[in-house]
Amino acid sequence: MIFENATENDKEEILALYNSLIGTKYCAWTTEYPNMREIDFDLSRNALFCLRDNGKIVGVISIDEDEAVGGLPYWNKELEPSVELSRLGVHNDYQNQGIAGKMITYLMTTCRERGYKGVHFLVSKQNIKAQKAYAKLHFRIVGECSMFDDDFWCYEKSIVDNTQ
C-alpha cells in the first residue's frame, strides 16, 4: 500500500469513496458533506491524501482549515502551530484492518515535516469505532463540543514527542 498526496485525477474516486460510506454505522456524512467542494478545497492546499492498494484508493484523509474548529478553547497552546485532521474514510472492504491508524500515523509524520507541533480533530460521540482507534494511537480527549448538528469529543496529540 502506498500513502501519497491525492491529485486532480483522483477527485471522482475520492467522492465515490466518501459517498460509499454514507449511511454506514457511525458515519455522520451526508450527500451534502463531504462533497466536491471539500475535495477541491483540500487539493488547492496540498492537503488531501490517499492510501492506495494496487492503484485503488482505499482510504482518504485531509488536513483541514476550519476556523470554527481551530478556534475551540480546548487545544493546547504549547502545541501550536497545530492542525486539524479531517475527512478520514476507509473503503468498506478495508475496514477493521488498522488502515485508519496507519493513515493517521503517516499524516502525522507529514504534518511534523511541515512544521506542526500537534494535531487535533473532532470525533462524533456516536462513533465508538473511531474512539477506540484514536485511543490506540494515544490521542487525548481534551474537551467536547456541539457543532455541525452533532456532539463531538475533541481529540489532540503532540507530534513533536510522545509525551502527549
Side-chain angles (χ1 to χ4, degrees):
M1 289 193 196
I2 299 170
F3 185 76
E4 61 188 4
N5 284 89
T7 69
E8 287 286 326
N9 293 335
D10 298 323
K11 288 168 53 167
E12 293 299 328
E13 190 175 357
I14 291 169
L15 184 60
L17 175 56
Y18 286 160
N19 289 336
S20 74
L21 298 172
I22 294 170
T24 59
K25 191 171 186 177
Y26 305 122
C27 184
W29 292 349
T30 68
T31 55
E32 301 298 316
Y33 176 90
N35 61 34
M36 195 59 77
R37 182 178 56 247
E38 283 79 28
I39 293 170
D40 287 335
F41 176 65
D42 291 342
L43 285 171
S44 75
R45 297 175 298 106
N46 195 31
L48 184 58
F49 301 84
C50 58
L51 185 67
R52 297 180 196 276
D53 185 18
N54 293 318
K56 175 184 176 181
I57 295 176
V58 299
V60 293
I61 190 171
S62 66
I63 299 171
D64 202 3
E65 288 183 12
D66 185 318
E67 291 180 19
V69 174
L72 290 170
Y74 310 113
W75 313 129
N76 184 341
K77 300 293 184 201
E78 293 178 17
L79 297 182
E80 292 182 358
S82 64
V83 67
E84 179 188 2
L85 305 184
S86 188
R87 293 184 277 286
L88 168 62
V90 177
H91 189 284
N92 285 310
D93 294 343
Y94 288 79
Q95 291 187 9
N96 301 313
Q97 298 177 31
I99 300 290
K102 289 177 185 174
M103 288 195 311
I104 292 169
T105 300
Y106 292 145
L107 193 53
M108 286 191 302
T109 298
T110 299
C111 291
R112 185 173 36 253
E113 290 167 354
R114 291 183 179 188
Y116 294 104
K117 293 181 180 179
V119 295
H120 58 261
F121 51 89
L122 303 180
V123 177
S124 171
K125 288 185 175 183
Q126 306 302 315
N127 195 339
I128 306 303
K129 188 175 185 179
Q131 293 170 30
K132 289 179 182 178
Y134 302 136
K136 288 180 187 176
L137 293 170
H138 306 289
F139 277 85
R140 293 180 342 143
I141 296 174
V142 296
E144 59 185 295
C145 67
S146 293
M147 303 176 85
F148 318 116
D149 298 322
D150 203 351
D151 295 321
F152 295 95
W153 293 114
C154 304
Y155 281 78
E156 183 174 52
K157 181 174 179 157
S158 169
I159 55 175
V160 176
D161 57 41
N162 292 323
T163 61
Q164 291 260 326

